[in-house]
């Protein structure tokens, strides 16, 4: 007999829908660049534009998405975004059959799909607290993260295989089906709790709503003015920023400095997916063994320490270097996932229901928006000082995150608050935290 959230019908439907959507999203992330490079012979500049199209929506759409999700039922918006992505991807084989497919067409589709993906992404993070109790958030996020990790491994592999088996543009039709399945399962959700200021499907709000700009500003003000949420967003930003710096340098370091062959590089990259799976499995047990604040400090610290294993690989023979890199990628991914599940659950638990969309949207805009900046700086830093020094600097930079956590009240938190009083209890401690930290806010 299934137990826990597996017996929760609405969570099962959310999980089935999100799993289908995650597989589609990971396949699309592989198929778009393959289609541009192999089928459309895109230039390097055009490939760069296609890569940037995946990040731009986080900067331009996130805050609007948060307001929309806080004003309307999230289930309906997620269904709409899934159907929109399904239809947009269907346009690619159609354009191919009509001999109209080109790089500009692919860029437009990629940008539009990215916009709807951002809204759906924020929506999926915001709807969970409206479906399950606060004390089930870690369990729910763990199950969703397990799907995300599996989709990252299998979805990417399937994307490349399907592209090779089918004509490139035709392969997009499989993702159309997957997004449609996601919309179907999400539409079966019935128990979404209505939040303050939210009107039902087809209903008008009883009170005139303030402007969308004011709602957006309120969301940003909540994140920046709430000491706990602000700290968690800041530490995640630091981790993402320095990981983005390391990303373009690491592959060059592994293939050129360490001279590791492609097959072994594949094993190293696969270790990241395996580590993410491990992290999703151990996140809930670790949260029961350790106080939440200490767990966040520990996992953020181990992430930085693990990344320092990469430059150490220069000191050992080639076979040992591969083993060290595999260990590094496994530990790094596992700790990042444990950190993400617990900090995401904590943020959700201490955020009022009517602010979930805007809180998650502001968070996504900030922590994802710094990644292209970090990637560019990583390339420049690697060129200026060399790959090894750049990786060491990026690893040391990542360790700023646990230092921030250790210097704030977050380190003393015992567990994710439970029940409906979670936000009220946090609001009480927040007043004290803000008054003590006012000079440096």
């Amino acid at each position: 007999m299934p137990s826990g959230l597996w017996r929760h019908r609405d969570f099962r439907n959310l999980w089935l829908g999100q799993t289908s959507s995650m597989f589609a999203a990971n396949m699309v992330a592989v198929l778009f660049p393959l289609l541009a490079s192999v089928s459309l012979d895109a230039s390097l500049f055009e490939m760069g534009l296609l890569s940037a199209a995946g990040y731009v929506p986080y900067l331009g759409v996130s805050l609007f998405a948060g307001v929309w999700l806080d004003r309307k039922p999230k289930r309906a918006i997620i269904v709409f975004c899934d159907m929109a992505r399904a239809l947009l991807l269907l346009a690619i084989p159609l354009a191919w059959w009509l001999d109209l497919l080109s790089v500009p067409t692919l860029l437009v589709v990629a940008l539009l799909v990215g916009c709807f993906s951002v809204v759906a992404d924020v929506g999926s993070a915001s709807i969970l607290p409206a479906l399950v109790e606060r004390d089930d958030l870690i369990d729910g996020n763990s199950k969703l993260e397990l799907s995300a990790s599996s989709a990252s491994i299998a979805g990417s592999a399937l994307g490349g295989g399907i592209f090779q088996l089918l004509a490139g543009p035709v392969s997009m039709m499989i993702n159309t089906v997957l997004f449609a399945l996601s919309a179907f399962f999400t539409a079966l959700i019935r128990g979404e709790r209505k939040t303050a200021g939210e009107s039902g499907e087809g209903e008008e709000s009883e009170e005139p709503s303030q402007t969308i700009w004011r709602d957006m500003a309120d969301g940003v003000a909540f994140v920046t003015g709430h000491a706990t949420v602000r700290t968690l967003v800041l530490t995640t930003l630091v981790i993402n920023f320095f990981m983005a710096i390391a990303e373009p340098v690491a592959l060059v370091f592994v293939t050129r400095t360490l001279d590791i062959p492609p097959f072994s590089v594949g094993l190293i990259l696969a270790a990241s997916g395996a580590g993410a799976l491990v992290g999703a499995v151990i996140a809930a047990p670790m949260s029961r063994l350790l106080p939440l604040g200490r767990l966040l400090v520990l996992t953020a610290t181990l992430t930085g320490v693990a990344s320092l294993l990469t430059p150490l690989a220069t000191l050992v023979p080639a076979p040992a270097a591969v083993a060290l890199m595999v260990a590094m990628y496994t530990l790094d991914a596992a700790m990042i996932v444990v950190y993400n599940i617990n900090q995401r659950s904590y943020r959700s638990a201490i955020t009022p229901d009517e602010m979930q969309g805007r809180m998650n949207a502001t968070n996504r805009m900030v922590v994802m928006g710094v990644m292209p900046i970090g990637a560019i700086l990583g390339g420049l830093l690697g060129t200026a000082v060399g790959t090894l020094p750049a990786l060491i600097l990026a690893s040391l930079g990542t360790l700023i995150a646990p230092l921030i956590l250790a210097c704030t009240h977050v380190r003393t938190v015992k567990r994710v608050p439970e029940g409906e009083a979670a936000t009220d209890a946090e609001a009480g401690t927040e007043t004290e935290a803000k008054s003590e930290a006012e000079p440096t806010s």
Side-chain angles (χ1 to χ4, degrees):
M1 267 304 272
S3 59
L5 286 179
W6 293 129
R7 300 179 65 180
H8 192 299
R9 185 186 64 182
D10 283 339
F11 177 79
R12 283 201 313 272
N13 286 324
L14 175 67
W15 178 80
L16 287 168
Q18 286 302 299
T19 300
S20 180
S21 175
M22 290 168 187
F23 268 89
N26 278 281
M27 289 172 66
V28 166
V30 173
L31 289 172
F32 269 142
L34 280 176
L35 190 58
S37 178
V38 177
S39 302
L40 299 177
D41 196 27
S43 67
L44 286 173
F45 177 69
E46 289 171 330
M47 293 295 290
L49 289 178
L50 187 61
S51 177
Y55 292 107
V56 169
Y58 281 100
L59 297 172
V61 177
S62 292
L63 294 182
F64 290 97
V67 174
W68 190 21
L69 286 157
D70 281 337
R71 288 183 175 189
K72 298 292 182 181
K74 299 169 182 62
R75 176 185 66 91
I77 294 175
I78 297 171
V79 170
F80 172 75
C81 290
D82 283 337
M83 290 307 301
R85 287 186 286 182
L87 292 173
L88 281 167
L89 293 178
L90 197 58
I92 292 178
L94 180 62
W96 177 64
W97 284 325
L98 296 175
D99 200 25
L100 297 175
L101 187 60
S102 63
V103 172
T105 303
L106 189 64
L107 282 171
V108 171
V109 173
L111 188 61
L112 290 174
V113 168
C115 290
F116 286 111
S117 293
V118 168
V119 179
D121 188 27
V122 175
S124 64
S126 304
I127 195 174
L128 183 62
L131 299 179
V132 304
E133 300 302 326
R134 290 290 198 271
D135 51 348
D136 285 326
L137 283 172
I138 288 181
D139 187 24
N141 277 315
S142 295
K143 287 176 169 58
L144 290 172
E145 192 66 45
L146 188 61
S147 291
S149 302
S150 302
S152 177
I153 300 170
S156 299
L158 283 172
I162 289 170
F163 184 90
Q164 189 167 341
L165 288 173
L166 303 175
V170 177
S171 60
M172 288 294 180
M173 296 181 69
I174 293 176
N175 300 293
T176 291
V177 174
L178 287 173
F179 279 126
L181 275 175
S182 177
F184 171 76
F185 285 116
T186 306
L188 295 177
I189 294 173
R190 290 291 179 265
E192 179 185 352
R193 292 189 292 272
K194 191 173 176 181
T195 62
E198 179 185 294
S199 58
E201 296 175 55
E203 299 177 7
E204 293 293 331
S205 180
E206 293 181 2
E207 298 180 2
S209 176
Q210 60 185 7
T211 67
I212 190 171
W213 300 105
R214 181 53 188 265
D215 277 352
M216 288 166 55
D218 286 348
V220 174
F222 174 79
V223 170
T224 57
H226 193 297
T228 305
V229 176
R230 181 177 66 236
T231 299
L232 294 173
V233 171
L234 177 60
T235 54
T236 306
L237 179 153
V238 168
I239 292 172
N240 277 8
F241 178 69
F242 285 103
M243 287 182 70
I245 288 177
E247 188 173 347
V249 181
L251 192 60
V252 174
F253 177 78
V254 168
T255 56
R256 298 179 188 175
T257 304
L258 299 181
D259 197 26
I260 292 176
F263 175 74
S264 297
V265 173
L267 290 178
I268 292 170
L269 296 178
S272 181
L277 282 173
V278 171
V281 171
I282 67 174
M286 286 188 72
S287 71
R288 291 191 290 269
L289 287 173
L290 292 173
L292 180 65
R294 292 182 184 178
L295 178 59
L296 293 176
V297 173
L298 174 65
T299 50
T301 301
L302 288 176
T303 296
V305 171
S307 61
L308 282 170
L309 294 176
T310 302
L312 285 177
T314 57
L315 305 177
V316 297
V322 172
L324 194 61
M325 294 292 293
V326 167
M328 173 279 213
Y329 271 74
T330 302
L331 178 61
D332 181 74
M335 292 301 99
I336 279 291
V337 168
V338 174
Y339 167 84
N340 274 337
I341 288 172
N342 282 276
Q343 66 90 15
R344 187 187 306 139
S345 300
Y346 186 30
R347 276 192 292 110
S348 296
I350 61 178
T351 299
D353 285 343
E354 65 273 14
M355 193 62 70
Q356 289 285 341
R358 283 169 285 176
M359 180 276 291
N360 280 300
T362 304
N363 172 70
R364 296 295 169 92
M365 183 188 74
V366 172
V367 303
M368 297 301 292
V370 298
M371 295 193 74
I373 300 172
I376 292 171
L377 287 177
L380 294 174
L381 185 63
T383 303
V385 302
T387 55
L388 182 58
L391 285 173
I392 293 173
L393 289 172
S395 300
L396 294 175
T398 305
L399 291 171
I400 295 172
L403 286 176
I404 294 173
L405 289 170
C407 292
T408 64
H409 66 284
V410 174
R411 75 181 187 280
T412 65
V413 175
K414 302 298 182 185
R415 58 187 173 85
V416 172
E418 299 176 2
E420 294 300 324
T423 53
D424 295 334
E426 180 67 19
T429 60
E430 173 63 12
T431 302
E432 298 174 6
K434 283 181 68 179
S435 63
E436 292 172 2
E438 194 66 34
T440 58
S441 60

